[in-house]
Amino acid sequence: MSGSTPSKLTVAIVGATGDLGSSVTKAFLDLYPETFNRVVILTRNPQSDGAKALEALGAELLQTNGPIYAGALKGVDVLVNAAGPGINPEENDALVKEAVASGARLYFPSEFGMDHRYGPQNHVWFHEKERHVGAARNLAPDQLKVIKVYIGMFTEIIFSAFLGFDTENGIYTSLGTGTSDKKIAITSTADIGASVARLSILAAADPKSVPDDVRISGDNKSINELAEIVSKATGKTIKVVEEPVAEGADDKDGEDMADLARLLRLNFSHGATDFSKDNDNELVNPGQKYWTWKTTEVYARDVLAKQ
């Protein structure tokens, strides 16, 4: 397998009907049909509108129930877990065990966020991600390559009031004094999907050509820069406010969405989500040969300006 062009591959995707999962599925279907001859969706509800829409594009639907995935991954080479935090740990573990039993070679766990090897990460979701990936990598290290993909923040989510970007009221808030110039990696779901497909092709041909931890960023912008971009696109005046942070805020344990939002914003302030000088963009998309990264300027113009 090393160094050769991969033959036809089968990919299975969990969470394919979600916002990220649908983009990942479409990337495999649309961009590289000559490489991925089967794109299989594992779903509990094959009659859902999202599942039917992907089936119409060429995906195969496979109904699964509960945490037992026995036989569901037969013939699968690549497994992508795009499920959100709602999936329980037992299901994630059963999924990767079945991948190993079925002979799968590549596994992309449900990461697709900030690189939680850096900055404050005291949240149960991050702890569970680390536990699951560690267990997955120990199952069959000579067979299954586990690739974590860090993307910073979704372009489609970052402009949210709960993350401090209150476009409606014209206020963007950064946590901490002197922090609004810290850059944040921002990547669209379409770019994430294209990257996962490219990484699958590269790693199937030569597992050593792809690091175990991959960082991609469609764009890198500070809160000050985002305010200027959105102001220009929408015609609204956006004021940037730097809000004081209580001592010990980094040490607080998190359990829910509110805690996650606080933790993400603290990471913005620490510069822990800045991928501008340390990313693998050229590995997956050298010189933007395969696609053009979607910038925040384009998103602001095409989406925010029309809201």
Side-chain angles (χ1 to χ4, degrees):
M1 179 171 68
S2 178
S4 63
T5 300
S7 57
K8 293 286 188 178
L9 300 172
T10 294
V11 59
I13 302 168
V14 179
T17 57
D19 291 339
L20 173 61
S22 62
S23 292
V24 171
T25 304
K26 290 173 184 176
F28 280 102
L29 288 169
D30 297 342
L31 300 181
Y32 305 104
E34 73 285 354
T35 300
F36 300 97
N37 63 331
R38 296 179 63 217
V39 178
V40 182
I41 294 173
L42 276 63
T43 177
R44 290 178 176 174
N45 183 11
Q47 299 304 316
S48 69
D49 291 343
K52 285 296 185 182
L54 293 173
E55 183 182 37
L57 295 175
E60 299 178 26
L61 305 185
L62 180 61
Q63 184 170 8
T64 58
N65 295 296
I68 306 302
Y69 289 79
L73 302 179
K74 184 178 180 180
V76 167
D77 301 291
V78 182
L79 174 63
V80 181
N81 188 348
I87 189 170
N88 66 50
E90 290 77 15
E91 288 185 62
N92 268 336
D93 291 345
L95 180 68
V96 74
K97 287 178 182 178
E98 180 60 27
V100 169
S102 301
R105 294 181 284 163
L106 303 175
Y107 175 49
F108 293 86
S110 181
E111 285 289 346
F112 310 113
M114 64 181 182
D115 188 343
H116 46 84
R117 296 173 298 175
Y118 308 101
Q121 306 296 336
N122 296 320
H123 197 286
V124 292
W125 290 351
F126 294 133
H127 299 329
E128 172 54 29
K129 284 173 181 280
E130 286 299 312
R131 183 208 64 78
H132 171 68
V133 169
R137 285 177 169 166
N138 286 327
L139 275 177
D142 294 331
Q143 172 195 326
L144 186 71
K145 182 176 180 65
V146 180
I147 304 172
K148 294 199 290 185
V149 180
Y150 301 112
I151 57 86
M153 296 297 300
F154 291 178
T155 308
E156 296 84 355
I157 291 178
I158 192 168
F159 294 101
S160 304
F162 84 102
L163 289 174
F165 297 89
D166 189 351
T167 303
E168 182 177 356
N169 292 305
I171 300 176
Y172 285 6
T173 307
S174 182
L175 297 183
T177 303
T179 59
S180 56
D181 280 327
K182 300 284 188 180
K183 290 188 181 295
I184 305 165
I186 306 168
T187 312
S188 72
T189 55
D191 287 346
I192 297 168
S195 296
V196 172
R198 278 293 305 158
L199 288 166
S200 298
I201 293 172
L202 293 170
D206 180 4
K208 294 181 180 179
S209 70
V210 175
D212 292 340
D213 299 271
V214 175
R215 289 158 58 104
I216 60 169
S217 58
D219 204 353
N220 285 273
K221 291 290 190 298
S222 69
I223 292 177
N224 283 334
E225 289 172 324
L226 292 174
E228 292 179 6
I229 289 167
V230 174
S231 180
K232 181 179 179 181
T234 64
K236 296 180 179 179
T237 298
I238 307 293
K239 180 182 179 181
V240 176
V241 176
E242 293 183 345
E243 185 178 285
V245 178
E247 186 176 351
D250 291 3
D251 301 324
K252 181 182 177 182
D253 290 330
E255 297 182 352
D256 56 20
M257 282 297 294
D259 291 334
L260 178 63
R262 173 190 57 82
L263 194 60
L264 291 172
R265 296 177 67 193
L266 285 171
N267 275 271
F268 299 166
S269 301
H270 281 268
T273 48
D274 179 2
F275 293 4
S276 59
K277 296 179 180 179
D278 181 12
N279 63 66
D280 298 290
N281 286 12
E282 286 301 297
L283 171 67
V284 299
N285 188 22
Q288 302 191 72
K289 174 182 177 180
Y290 298 104
W291 72 89
T292 301
W293 298 101
K294 187 170 187 177
T295 65
T296 47
E297 287 91 346
V298 169
Y299 183 79
R301 181 197 68 200
D302 293 347
V303 179
L304 299 181
K306 298 175 181 179
Q307 292 179 344

